[in-house]
Amino acid sequence: MLELSAYPSPGQHRVYDIEAISLPIIYNKFGDHDPNGLLYVLKQDSERIQREARKRFELPVPQPYEDVQPLVIRANVGATVQINFDNKLDRRASIHVRAFPTTC
């Protein structure tokens, strides 16, 4: 098995602009929710997700928005990933990187 650092570089370079935001998160069709939810989103989707999530939160029975979900960034072994992180919260936030071993 090769060490992860020994894989040849495919030359891929991916850039992701990510924001940490606060918005109400509705868990189910019965309106169970967290009014102070925290979410990582791609910057290009941030306004749309916030607008729709808040709109659905204001319904008589708050309803979930399918785009309110955990953000997962994946990359091929050897690729370069650049993350530009913008914290829109009133508290500290960070990103945790977790590498999963690959099987050959």
Side-chain angles (χ1 to χ4, degrees):
M1 177 184 247
L2 284 172
E3 292 291 320
L4 288 179
S5 60
Y7 276 88
S9 173
Q12 293 176 331
H13 182 83
R14 296 178 185 239
V15 179
Y16 296 96
D17 296 320
I18 296 174
E19 290 184 351
I21 60 173
S22 177
L23 73 161
I25 297 177
I26 298 96
Y27 300 119
N28 56 39
K29 65 181 181 178
F30 304 109
D32 295 326
H33 65 277
D34 178 357
N36 303 307
L38 305 175
L39 193 67
Y40 294 118
V41 297
L42 294 176
K43 190 172 192 167
Q44 66 195 31
D45 299 330
S46 181
E47 287 184 31
R48 175 183 51 80
I49 290 172
Q50 289 182 71
R51 181 178 57 249
E52 288 299 319
R54 292 183 200 292
K55 184 170 131 184
R56 293 169 190 235
F57 182 68
E58 293 171 359
L59 294 172
V61 177
Q63 293 299 303
Y65 179 46
E66 59 274 0
D67 286 349
V68 174
Q69 57 184 295
L71 178 66
V72 177
I73 301 293
R74 293 185 176 91
N76 294 323
V77 173
T80 301
V81 175
Q82 176 182 330
I83 295 177
N84 302 316
F85 182 63
D86 191 5
N87 182 5
K88 300 285 187 176
L89 305 173
D90 59 357
R91 63 179 96 180
R92 296 176 77 161
S94 63
I95 294 178
H96 176 78
V97 176
R98 183 168 178 194
F100 293 96
T102 59
T103 55
C104 295

